[in-house]
Amino acid sequence: MSDRKQIALIGGDGVGREVVAVGRRVLEALARARGLPIELTDYDLGADRFLRDGVSFPEDVARALRERTDAVLLGALGDPRVPDMRHARDILFGLRFGLDLFANVRPVVCLHDRLMPLAGRTARDCRFVVFRENTEGAYVGAGGRIRQGTPDEIAITEIVQTRRGVERIVRAAFDYARARGLRRVHLADKHNAMPHAHGLWRDTFAEVARDYPDVGAEHMFMDALMCRVVLDPGAFEVIVTSNLLGDLLTDLGAALQGGMGMAASANLHPGRVSMFEPVHGSAPDLAGRDLANPFATVLSVGMMLTYLGWPDEEARLVGLVREGIELGRCTPDVGGSLGTRAVGDWLVEQLACA
Ligand code: IPM
Ligand code: MN
């Protein structure tokens, strides 16, 4: 068995393939220039394969990822030829649920003043991280539709929270804050409207907070918190929240970082294979046009490298992305004029002169 770290690459659909191609080149460049012991394996998953042979997330791939992989880089899923998104859910949730990746860690860090959309604020005013619960909530698929297509139709989506599930993500958020000497963790929920599912969040958060007397514990309702995030993003360091609310908050967060092309994420189960993906989708309208911003993927690769034990390499990639923005070596969405591939060329050049 090789002692190199095993990294799986899944481009998926649309621009996902283009940005993961850049991620691959960055990883190869790091392996060459810095001797990182890694081995890359591509997995052909996505709409093309689903439409070709009906396979979305086969068991042999799931097993290979579980048993022989250290980290997965995922591009994006979603293709207009599969309007019900079945394959996308099978693959994305197959990874998140199947690998029990309970912590969706989404940094909301603005890397350059030019990207900051809020008047009177600078990049330094926006650096917090969202811990989004990733295996429960509104995403578990509990519910159904009956009397479909009739005026009496009923549709139910259940929100499912378990004490164990809430506790582990809340602890992950507090552990993160403590390890970095941060002052506070905010819980964002809607227990005013959803006293059962979100009452469990409120109670569990209060209990766990007692184990972290060195870290402040604050509560805000998510609607009020989103308002405050726009008015004063510097008020936040770590925000922990449920699956659906975290999904909504992190698109707003992406806007504060320069758009969807800048937002990175990690889907973690500490100690096990974990998955890293840009927050953006497959953007079918941009696909095949060499327009997609690869920086969210490069930053996600950075998070992967820290997870694998190489934080200096993440710092290097973050520095390069910041420099790319500064010098205009970037795609049009963040003020440059380069294509996706040319940004990749520039990154590889920079990494070669390590
Ligand atoms: C995300 C995406 C997914 C989610 C979609 C594609 C199901 O929006 O990763 O943020 O809601 O989790
Ligand atoms: Mn989303």
Side-chain angles (χ1 to χ4, degrees):
M1 183 83 177
S2 159
D3 55 6
R4 289 185 290 171
K5 296 288 184 191
Q6 300 296 320
I7 299 174
L9 304 174
I10 304 172
D13 301 327
V15 300
R17 293 162 178 268
E18 298 164 50
V19 293
V20 165
V22 174
R24 167 181 257 285
R25 294 181 61 203
V26 163
L27 285 164
E28 286 167 348
L30 282 170
R32 267 196 311 274
R34 318 270 283 195
L36 283 193
I38 56 176
E39 190 169 323
L40 309 178
T41 307
D42 293 293
Y43 288 89
D44 172 26
L45 299 179
D48 282 349
R49 178 152 182 212
F50 181 65
L51 292 168
R52 201 170 59 233
D53 44 45
V55 169
S56 56
F57 190 56
E59 182 45 38
D60 60 319
V61 172
R63 192 171 324 110
L65 296 180
R66 243 187 345 259
E67 294 173 5
R68 300 194 295 279
T69 306
D70 296 293
V72 182
L73 179 65
L74 174 69
L77 295 159
D79 184 300
R81 294 171 299 166
V82 190
D84 66 359
M85 298 273 287
R86 215 201 97 188
H87 76 294
R89 273 197 306 280
D90 284 356
I91 299 167
L92 185 63
F93 297 157
L95 289 161
R96 290 185 185 168
F97 291 79
L99 300 175
D100 199 26
L101 305 175
F102 65 89
N104 194 330
V105 180
R106 297 186 159 189
V108 180
V109 175
C110 184
L111 290 178
H112 196 281
D113 290 345
R114 193 157 55 67
L115 302 181
M116 168 50 70
L118 303 176
R121 302 276 175 206
T122 65
R124 290 154 60 111
D125 296 321
C126 182
R127 33 183 58 255
F128 61 90
V129 57
V130 177
F131 276 69
R132 168 187 176 188
E133 202 292 318
N134 213 27
T135 54
E136 300 192 346
Y139 279 62
V140 296
R145 288 175 75 173
I146 50 179
R147 304 187 193 131
Q148 214 166 331
T150 75
D152 300 319
E153 179 161 0
I154 299 173
I156 298 172
T157 293
E158 305 264 24
I159 290 180
V160 177
Q161 304 288 181
T162 66
R163 182 171 282 270
R164 210 184 308 279
V166 173
E167 183 172 342
R168 63 183 180 173
I169 186 73
V170 170
R171 280 197 188 280
F174 274 103
D175 285 339
Y176 177 94
R178 175 178 274 172
R180 285 158 187 77
L182 300 175
R183 283 163 303 169
R184 56 183 166 265
V185 174
H186 279 83
L187 166 68
D189 66 32
K190 280 293 292 176
H191 72 248
N192 47 357
M194 297 189 282
H196 311 304
H198 285 199
L200 179 63
W201 277 90
R202 179 199 52 211
D203 297 347
T204 307
F205 183 75
E207 272 174 43
V208 170
R210 279 186 224 123
D211 292 340
Y212 299 82
D214 47 321
V215 182
E218 312 263 348
H219 171 266
M220 286 184 83
F221 292 119
M222 183 54 103
D223 46 357
L225 180 135
M226 289 179 86
C227 181
R228 182 89 194 274
V229 160
V230 170
L231 295 173
D232 184 14
F236 300 96
E237 292 174 324
V238 179
I239 300 169
V240 63
T241 192
S242 60
N243 207 338
L244 177 60
L245 297 187
D247 178 48
L248 307 181
L249 175 63
T250 52
D251 268 31
L252 182 135
L256 300 180
Q257 300 172 82
M260 296 308 297
M262 297 299 296
S265 79
N267 298 254
L268 305 177
H269 187 126
R272 292 205 208 157
V273 53
S274 289
M275 189 260 281
F276 302 80
E277 54 169 344
V279 174
H280 64 70
S282 59
D285 51 324
L286 300 184
R289 298 167 60 196
D290 198 37
L291 279 173
N293 183 349
F295 283 164
T297 299
V298 173
L299 296 168
S300 303
V301 167
M303 296 181 82
M304 175 195 287
L305 294 171
T306 289
Y307 185 72
L308 294 176
W310 300 306
D312 293 352
E313 307 306 327
E314 176 176 24
R316 182 101 211 286
L317 292 182
V318 171
L320 267 184
V321 167
R322 193 179 276 123
E323 202 179 318
I325 299 285
E326 172 74 30
L327 302 175
R329 313 300 286 174
C330 51
T331 46
D333 58 306
V334 282
S337 56
L338 297 186
T340 312
R341 281 192 296 268
V343 175
D345 295 341
W346 178 76
L347 289 165
V348 167
E349 251 168 56
Q350 301 305 304
L351 290 168
C353 39

